[in-house]
Amino acid sequence: MSESGRRSGALGRVQSPVSGEEQEEMPGEDGNEETRRHIRHKYRELITSVQQNREDMLSSRNNRLTEVLEEANKLFGGVSRAREAALDAQFLVLASNLGKEKANQLHSDMIVFDPTAFAEDLLTFMGLNRLEGGESDSEEDGMANGFLPSDAWQRVGIEAEKYFKRAPTFHYMLGSFKTDPPVPKQRLERQRQKPRMEERRAMPAQLKKMEESHQEATEKEVERILGLLQAYYREDPETPISFFDFVIDPTSFARTVENIFHVSFIVRDGFARIKLDQDRLPVIEPVANEDQVTEQENQSRHQGVISLSPQDWQEIRETFEIKEPMIPPSPASE
């Protein structure tokens, strides 16, 4: 299939037979430079015309776009070189864009809702009789006047009911439910076997001894850490103690977790408090006397959960350059 045939098929062009006068003006493929120059000039005029008259061509009442397409179709019969084909392609792109925009406008005009037309159709459906309503000069009065039958709105309701989905009414398949409460079943209590006297005595004693020993060790460690905190604070009361410097043990992640656990008891009981410094970093300081302890107890407290992973512990240790622990290991742990 030749290039001319393919283009005509794709664009919907219909080439009419070329008359003798047109053959004299535009010989097909003889390679005449003057004819080629004339074709290029005509294409440039078409492109300029399309660009300048864009708004007029988009109007649905204007057929100028069809006219320029037919004119370009005639020029395409004399195209034999690449320069003229490039101008034809450029014109075709402009014409295609205009056609697309024009089609979109036609589609949008078709779906526009016209309230006046809708009201007129609705009155007609309801059976409006304008002859019995009297004559009126104005168009608006003519639409408002008229005679509606008594069942006009009922007719609209019956028609609108078809487009609303309604749930079916509820009814019992086997009648209403019985209101009598169910008869409670008697529960049979099983007799539990009593443990032997030796087991009942030995197990609580063992658990109690372990609990007392663990609690005693925790209290001693809390008192030791509180003494260290007070000693550090007495050495330099003006300099706040960093919370991370105080609890982080650079040599052991497990002891760091234990230090945070024990310091939480000191803060909970009101013997120390944690606040933020100017850099929004936590600092810890002991409460000096009993009056401040009482005042600390009366104030509202905020509890929180600290999440600390080995990676976080290593990053804090490197960021704050912690080389030695402020809370040395207890002799019992060593």
Side-chain angles (χ1 to χ4, degrees):
M1 184 181 292
S2 63
E3 182 180 4
S4 175
R6 285 187 283 108
R7 299 295 296 274
S8 299
L11 303 177
R13 294 178 173 178
V14 178
Q15 275 192 317
S16 59
V18 181
S19 61
E21 296 178 356
E22 293 175 348
Q23 289 179 358
E24 292 178 359
E25 293 179 357
M26 297 179 301
E29 297 181 358
D30 57 358
N32 192 339
E33 183 64 27
E34 186 66 24
T35 303
R36 292 174 53 204
R37 188 180 299 109
H38 175 74
I39 293 175
R40 291 196 298 269
H41 176 71
K42 289 292 184 179
Y43 268 119
R44 293 190 183 97
E45 287 182 351
L46 287 178
I47 293 173
T48 305
S49 176
V50 170
Q51 293 175 346
Q52 293 178 353
N53 302 322
R54 179 184 181 86
E55 298 298 330
D56 296 337
M57 292 184 179
L58 288 176
S59 176
S60 59
R61 301 178 180 178
N62 196 332
N63 294 327
R64 178 58 182 164
L65 181 59
T66 305
E67 295 175 359
V68 295
L69 283 173
E70 291 178 354
E71 188 174 353
N73 194 32
K74 294 178 182 179
L75 290 176
F76 186 72
V79 173
S80 60
R81 299 296 178 89
R83 293 183 61 182
E84 292 78 15
L87 289 174
D88 180 76
Q90 183 180 354
F91 167 78
L92 191 60
V93 171
L94 293 175
S96 300
N97 292 335
L98 284 176
K100 179 181 178 182
E101 294 183 17
K102 194 170 184 178
N104 290 335
Q105 289 183 359
L106 291 175
H107 180 67
S108 61
D109 293 341
M110 292 172 60
I111 63 175
V112 171
F113 176 73
D114 188 359
T116 304
F118 175 76
E120 184 69 22
D121 295 339
L122 182 61
L123 291 174
T124 303
F125 177 78
M126 295 170 67
L128 178 66
N129 189 354
R130 300 186 185 277
L131 298 178
E132 299 184 10
E135 297 180 354
S136 178
D137 297 335
S138 63
E139 184 180 354
E140 295 181 358
D141 294 340
M143 292 181 59
N145 296 331
F147 174 75
L148 283 175
S150 59
D151 61 341
W153 288 107
Q154 184 179 1
R155 187 183 304 175
V156 176
I158 294 174
E159 183 66 21
E161 187 179 3
K162 301 176 182 178
Y163 303 97
F164 288 91
K165 295 182 179 180
R166 299 179 58 187
T169 57
F170 180 79
H171 63 280
Y172 295 99
M173 297 180 62
L174 299 176
S176 60
F177 292 107
K178 295 182 180 180
T179 58
D180 298 337
V183 180
K185 297 181 179 180
Q186 296 181 357
R187 297 180 59 184
L188 300 177
E189 296 184 358
R190 297 180 180 179
Q191 296 182 357
R192 299 180 179 179
Q193 296 180 357
K194 297 181 179 180
R196 291 180 297 177
M197 188 63 64
E198 296 179 356
E199 295 180 356
R200 187 173 58 182
R201 291 179 180 178
M203 291 178 60
Q206 183 179 4
L207 293 176
K208 186 176 181 180
K209 185 182 297 183
M210 293 176 60
E211 184 178 357
E212 289 179 354
S213 61
H214 181 70
Q215 184 177 0
E216 183 179 357
T218 302
E219 291 178 355
K220 290 183 179 180
E221 185 65 16
V222 170
E223 292 176 357
R224 185 179 75 90
I225 294 177
L226 177 60
L228 293 173
L229 178 62
Q230 294 173 348
Y232 289 134
Y233 186 76
R234 284 194 298 268
E235 293 178 359
D236 191 0
E238 301 299 331
T239 303
I241 302 173
S242 173
F243 176 77
F244 294 126
D245 290 341
F246 185 69
V247 299
I248 294 296
D249 190 332
T251 61
S252 175
F253 172 74
R255 281 198 291 269
T256 300
V257 176
E258 292 178 358
N259 293 340
I260 297 176
F261 172 73
H262 293 137
V263 169
S264 65
F265 287 102
I266 300 175
V267 177
R268 184 201 64 179
D269 296 337
F271 293 105
R273 57 188 172 190
I274 298 175
K275 59 183 182 179
L276 301 179
D277 60 0
Q278 297 178 355
D279 298 330
R280 308 293 297 174
L281 294 175
V283 295
I284 185 171
E285 61 181 9
V287 178
N289 49 39
E290 296 181 358
D291 295 337
Q292 292 185 359
V293 173
T294 305
E295 182 181 357
Q296 183 76 8
E297 291 177 354
N298 295 332
Q299 294 179 356
S300 61
R301 300 177 181 177
H302 301 280
Q303 298 180 352
V305 179
I306 300 177
S307 176
L308 185 68
S309 64
Q311 183 178 1
D312 297 336
W313 166 73
Q314 186 174 0
E315 291 178 357
I316 295 173
R317 181 186 62 181
E318 295 175 355
T319 302
F320 289 88
E321 298 181 354
I322 302 174
K323 305 299 182 184
E324 296 292 335
M326 295 185 67
I327 303 177
S330 60
S333 61
E334 292 180 350

Tab-separated table of all heavy atoms in Angstrom, residues 16-26:
chain	number	residue	atom	x	y	z
A	16	SER	N	-10.559	13.021	-4.144
A	16	SER	CA	-11.396	13.118	-5.330
A	16	SER	C	-10.507	13.099	-6.562
A	16	SER	O	-9.315	13.416	-6.489
A	16	SER	CB	-12.201	14.415	-5.278
A	16	SER	OG	-11.335	15.519	-5.212
A	17	PRO	N	-11.050	12.735	-7.697
A	17	PRO	CA	-10.228	12.736	-8.926
A	17	PRO	C	-9.711	14.136	-9.223
A	17	PRO	O	-10.421	15.138	-9.071
A	17	PRO	CB	-11.204	12.253	-10.005
A	17	PRO	CG	-12.282	11.548	-9.256
A	17	PRO	CD	-12.400	12.214	-7.932
A	18	VAL	N	-8.458	14.216	-9.596
A	18	VAL	CA	-7.814	15.498	-9.834
A	18	VAL	C	-8.145	15.939	-11.252
A	18	VAL	O	-7.980	15.189	-12.217
A	18	VAL	CB	-6.282	15.395	-9.631
A	18	VAL	CG1	-5.639	16.748	-9.852
A	18	VAL	CG2	-6.001	14.866	-8.245
A	19	SER	N	-8.627	17.169	-11.374
A	19	SER	CA	-8.974	17.701	-12.694
A	19	SER	C	-7.722	18.071	-13.468
A	19	SER	O	-6.616	18.094	-12.928
A	19	SER	CB	-9.883	18.918	-12.536
A	19	SER	OG	-9.204	19.924	-11.821
A	20	GLY	N	-7.937	18.471	-14.713
A	20	GLY	CA	-6.790	18.814	-15.558
A	20	GLY	C	-6.104	20.071	-15.100
A	20	GLY	O	-4.885	20.181	-15.128
A	21	GLU	N	-6.895	21.066	-14.622
A	21	GLU	CA	-6.281	22.316	-14.159
A	21	GLU	C	-5.435	22.067	-12.932
A	21	GLU	O	-4.338	22.611	-12.799
A	21	GLU	CB	-7.384	23.321	-13.849
A	21	GLU	CG	-8.192	23.710	-15.082
A	21	GLU	CD	-9.298	24.677	-14.727
A	21	GLU	OE1	-9.447	24.966	-13.501
A	21	GLU	OE2	-9.995	25.139	-15.615
A	22	GLU	N	-5.921	21.231	-11.983
A	22	GLU	CA	-5.142	20.938	-10.790
A	22	GLU	C	-3.883	20.165	-11.141
A	22	GLU	O	-2.834	20.343	-10.502
A	22	GLU	CB	-5.984	20.127	-9.802
A	22	GLU	CG	-7.142	20.941	-9.240
A	22	GLU	CD	-8.035	20.099	-8.374
A	22	GLU	OE1	-7.885	18.862	-8.412
A	22	GLU	OE2	-8.858	20.667	-7.672
A	23	GLN	N	-3.926	19.314	-12.176
A	23	GLN	CA	-2.717	18.601	-12.563
A	23	GLN	C	-1.693	19.557	-13.148
A	23	GLN	O	-0.492	19.371	-12.980
A	23	GLN	CB	-3.064	17.520	-13.587
A	23	GLN	CG	-3.842	16.333	-12.994
A	23	GLN	CD	-4.170	15.307	-14.039
A	23	GLN	OE1	-3.849	15.483	-15.222
A	23	GLN	NE2	-4.808	14.225	-13.611
A	24	GLU	N	-2.164	20.600	-13.773
A	24	GLU	CA	-1.200	21.573	-14.293
A	24	GLU	C	-0.556	22.364	-13.161
A	24	GLU	O	0.621	22.687	-13.200
A	24	GLU	CB	-1.906	22.521	-15.258
A	24	GLU	CG	-2.357	21.846	-16.542
A	24	GLU	CD	-3.096	22.818	-17.441
A	24	GLU	OE1	-3.244	23.985	-17.016
A	24	GLU	OE2	-3.512	22.408	-18.539
A	25	GLU	N	-1.351	22.645	-12.100
A	25	GLU	CA	-0.794	23.420	-10.983
A	25	GLU	C	0.095	22.536	-10.112
A	25	GLU	O	1.124	22.992	-9.629
A	25	GLU	CB	-1.928	23.988	-10.134
A	25	GLU	CG	-2.737	25.039	-10.884
A	25	GLU	CD	-3.879	25.574	-10.027
A	25	GLU	OE1	-4.029	25.067	-8.894
A	25	GLU	OE2	-4.601	26.457	-10.474
A	26	MET	N	-0.276	21.275	-9.899
A	26	MET	CA	0.467	20.406	-8.967
A	26	MET	C	0.743	19.078	-9.643
A	26	MET	O	0.052	18.084	-9.407
A	26	MET	CB	-0.344	20.174	-7.685
A	26	MET	CG	-0.599	21.432	-6.886
A	26	MET	SD	-1.579	21.066	-5.426
A	26	MET	CE	-3.044	20.366	-6.177
